[in-house]
Amino acid sequence: MAVSVSVFLGFFLGLVFVGLVSSAKFDQLFQPSWANDHLVYEGELLKLKLDHYSGAGFSSKSRYMFGKVTIQIKLVEGDSAGTVTAFYMSSDGPNHNEFDFEFLGNTTGEPYTIQTNIYVNGVGNREQRLNLWFDPTKEFHSYSLFWNQRHVLFLVDDTPIRVHPNMENKGLPFPKDQPMGVYSSIWNADDWATQGGRVKTDWSHAPFIATYTGFEIDACEVPASVAATESAKNCSSSGVKRYWWDEPTLAELNVHQSHQLKWVKARHMTYDYCTDTARFPVMPLECVHHRH
């Protein structure tokens, strides 16, 4: 295990503990996973292309438990209706865990929508949607997933937009025992992505291109040969071994982050599964205990 200095804004500031060396080089951390001919390399930039024939995707070379993963993305410009660009972490198998960022395309001039979702033991249906407070097609912005044994945190430019806490004390499962890969892709989803599928992909605007840079993973790398139960143990602090993501200051949001999250929900959230009584006549149990 290598040693790195992790200096992040907000609650990541000033921590120096055991972790995994971050990298800005795509090919050190990732590899194409499908449609290699739709991945374009331009120096430090990687572009994923969607056209009539195919989308494209890439995946991490390793699996991880706990830590922070960040990718800087410039989303598809112009009329991107029907397209989805995704950045997510996922384990394997039918009872997998998964943390999703999905960027839903729009017609020109409309705001981009981010949909987040969380799967625990193969069960999802925890969608939230929000509009961004900036145009994500003009500049690169960072999108991050932070994960420890206390919560999963979704961040945009280090602003928290969603927190999923560990509520095992309420009898609810929490994703803490399956190592996860890191993935991103672009594909056509015009059956649902834009205005519920009412607006279809206009292929005259193809190819649709999402551009990436700044690939960073500061997390506990898990060899494929290690059992999941051992992974959780090996990636948790004990004795003299201390991981930065286990520090008490990262067990919950600080006051500033709590205010940021409230602002995001009040100003930018457009859908929350917890309030969708048509889908869930009985409020999901995690929503009863924690509105997130």
Side-chain angles (χ1 to χ4, degrees):
M1 181 67 65
V3 177
S4 71
V5 178
S6 303
V7 182
F8 297 110
L9 295 176
F11 66 99
F12 297 103
L13 187 63
L15 295 173
V16 184
F17 294 99
V18 177
L20 178 72
V21 170
S22 300
S23 175
K25 299 289 186 180
F26 170 81
D27 57 3
Q28 288 180 289
L29 297 173
F30 296 94
Q31 60 194 359
S33 54
W34 55 286
N36 294 15
D37 61 338
H38 282 58
L39 281 80
V40 179
Y41 301 92
E42 294 182 358
E44 296 296 318
L45 303 182
L46 172 73
K47 296 185 175 183
L48 295 190
K49 180 173 67 173
L50 168 67
D51 58 23
H52 258 306
Y53 302 99
S54 180
F58 62 83
S59 61
S60 60
K61 294 180 178 180
S62 298
R63 299 180 304 160
Y64 304 91
M65 284 198 69
F66 311 133
K68 188 184 184 190
V69 177
T70 299
I71 296 181
Q72 295 179 38
I73 309 174
K74 184 161 61 172
L75 294 171
V76 178
E77 291 189 81
D79 185 351
S80 58
T83 71
V84 171
T85 305
F87 163 48
Y88 61 102
M89 297 183 71
S90 181
S91 59
D92 301 324
N95 296 319
H96 74 293
N97 299 325
E98 186 173 328
F99 315 141
D100 294 338
F101 275 105
E102 292 180 311
F103 305 95
L104 311 184
N106 61 359
T107 55
T108 303
E110 293 186 2
Y112 242 95
T113 296
I114 289 185
Q115 175 171 283
T116 60
N117 200 359
I118 296 171
Y119 287 75
V120 183
N121 296 336
V123 179
N125 298 322
R126 297 180 176 91
E127 298 91 347
Q128 290 184 352
R129 293 181 182 178
L130 59 92
N131 293 328
L132 290 166
W133 51 94
F134 54 83
D135 185 341
T137 71
K138 299 303 181 185
E139 305 289 344
F140 286 100
H141 292 269
S142 65
Y143 304 93
S144 305
L145 292 163
F146 170 74
W147 175 33
N148 63 14
Q149 297 191 62
R150 298 296 298 272
H151 55 202
V152 179
L153 190 59
F154 294 72
L155 303 112
V156 176
D157 292 334
D158 280 312
T159 295
I161 65 166
R162 180 173 187 170
V163 58
H164 181 81
N166 185 332
M167 292 182 283
E168 290 178 305
N169 63 336
K170 305 292 185 181
L172 294 164
F174 182 77
K176 68 173 189 179
D177 58 357
Q178 297 182 37
M180 306 174 80
V182 185
Y183 304 88
S184 190
S185 57
I186 186 171
W187 77 93
N188 179 45
D190 67 3
D191 57 331
W192 66 271
T194 306
Q195 297 181 28
R198 290 187 293 274
V199 181
K200 302 300 183 182
T201 303
D202 184 347
W203 292 106
S204 69
H205 296 297
F208 302 98
I209 296 174
T211 308
Y212 298 75
T213 190
F215 304 91
E216 297 181 5
I217 298 177
D218 196 340
C220 187
E221 185 175 1
V222 176
S225 58
V226 176
T229 53
E230 285 298 306
S231 299
K233 180 180 178 181
N234 293 343
C235 294
S236 301
S237 299
S238 62
V240 297
K241 180 182 67 176
R242 297 178 66 193
Y243 290 109
W244 66 267
W245 49 82
D246 286 332
E247 286 307 292
T249 53
L250 303 183
E252 60 185 8
L253 298 183
N254 61 34
V255 173
H256 177 62
Q257 293 168 322
S258 295
H259 289 162
Q260 287 180 312
L261 183 60
K262 288 179 181 178
W263 174 79
V264 168
K265 289 181 175 180
R267 297 291 186 89
H268 297 281
M269 182 171 285
T270 60
Y271 175 83
D272 182 0
Y273 78 105
C274 285
T275 61
D276 191 339
T277 55
R279 286 180 67 197
F280 304 103
V282 177
M283 182 179 286
L285 191 56
E286 68 261 26
C287 302
V288 174
H289 293 302
H290 178 81
R291 186 58 58 86
H292 59 289

